Amino acid sequence: MKEARELLLQVRRDLGPVEARIRQHPYLAAVNNGQVSREALKALPGTQYHMWRSDMRSAAHLVERFADQPYASFFMGFLEAEIAAKETLTTLAAALAMSERDLEEFVPTPKGFAYASYIAWLSKFGSAGEVACGLAVNLAAWGHNCGVVSAGLRQSYGFTPDETAFLDVFATLPDSSDEAVAIMAEDLEQGVTSPQRIRRAARLIQAYEATFWDAMAEAAGIALPHEAPAKAA
């Protein structure tokens, strides 16, 4: 258990720069300042709708894979959260005059959908410890950004708490570190995975989280400093 806890702490330290980039993403400030058009805001629920459909299937697959394990409830919680998300997501979309048909027809960008694609791959080929560590690290950053965007939508666009409930749920998720450590410890002890594989999964999940926010910024026409062209010598 000690090895797994130290590994999780090391993963968080290693991913500190990516975490900071996510939490300080220029899209957040733009929403807070009311600088994103309502049309551009549609990219958020539009992309999340397709990610939600994918993540729900990924969660269901994880529940099926690990149903006979003592930590099955961890993945069941993931699935239950995804099932419950639909109503609040469609409410958020409705605040932007998007119907469920509009959500169905929305075309997410590769950057926007990359996170869900990797979670789908990981749900089939990754170990429970890899998934648990990745989610524990990622959900803290995702939840932080959801809270910032939610506050911005209410303060700068007049959204109601009911309309931002989809974001608020993620902003208030409990810390899952202890559960993740227990799952990681089990997998490491059984030789199901390795520290290297756990670190890789968390690194990729967090990288794809960053690309999601990049996609939101691009939809809003916001320049991204880390992608600015190099100046000529």
Side-chain angles (χ1 to χ4, degrees):
M1 189 76 76
K2 182 179 178 182
E3 177 190 4
R5 190 169 299 280
E6 290 177 349
L7 177 58
L8 178 59
L9 291 173
Q10 185 60 54
V11 167
R12 286 193 162 123
R13 285 193 292 269
D14 291 344
L15 294 177
V18 181
E19 177 98 5
R21 184 162 82 81
I22 293 169
R23 289 174 177 253
Q24 299 165 17
H25 203 282
Y27 181 80
L28 306 182
V31 172
N32 262 336
N33 296 327
Q35 296 171 335
V36 180
S37 71
R38 294 182 76 89
E39 186 64 27
L41 285 172
K42 292 180 179 181
L44 181 58
T47 303
Q48 279 296 314
Y49 180 80
H50 293 279
M51 294 177 71
W52 162 75
R53 295 187 68 176
S54 178
D55 287 351
M56 186 169 62
R57 287 166 174 78
S58 295
H61 186 66
L62 287 165
V63 168
E64 182 179 5
R65 279 185 66 193
F66 302 118
D68 60 346
Q69 298 299 318
Y71 47 72
S73 61
F74 178 87
F75 297 106
M76 179 58 72
F78 180 27
L79 176 59
E80 290 171 349
E82 293 297 337
I83 292 172
K86 182 181 180 182
E87 183 176 350
T88 54
L89 179 55
T90 54
T91 299
L92 174 63
L96 292 165
M98 295 181 78
S99 65
E100 189 162 352
R101 180 175 180 178
D102 293 327
L103 293 172
E104 289 276 2
E105 294 178 351
F106 183 88
V107 180
T109 65
K111 278 187 178 182
F113 195 71
Y115 176 98
S117 296
Y118 182 62
I119 292 295
W121 183 91
L122 202 61
S123 73
K124 184 171 180 62
F125 300 109
S127 71
E130 290 160 42
V131 178
C133 180
L135 290 178
V137 171
N138 172 252
L139 290 176
W142 163 245
H144 170 270
N145 283 21
C146 283
V148 174
V149 171
S150 175
L153 291 176
R154 291 194 303 272
Q155 294 166 13
S156 298
Y157 297 87
F159 281 45
T160 67
D162 284 346
E163 292 168 338
T164 62
F166 172 78
L167 299 166
D168 297 330
V169 167
F170 290 107
T172 56
L173 285 176
D175 181 31
S176 60
S177 296
D178 288 344
E179 292 173 284
V181 165
I183 297 171
M184 292 162 60
E186 176 75 13
D187 273 9
L188 289 168
E189 183 179 341
Q190 298 298 322
V192 174
T193 190
S194 67
Q196 292 77 15
R197 287 172 59 185
I198 288 174
R199 283 195 291 266
R200 179 178 62 193
R203 176 176 57 82
L204 288 172
I205 287 176
Q206 208 71 328
Y208 291 132
E209 176 71 30
T211 65
F212 168 79
W213 294 105
D214 289 349
M216 297 303 98
E218 290 175 2
I222 299 169
L224 299 174
H226 58 282
E227 293 188 351
K231 294 182 179 179

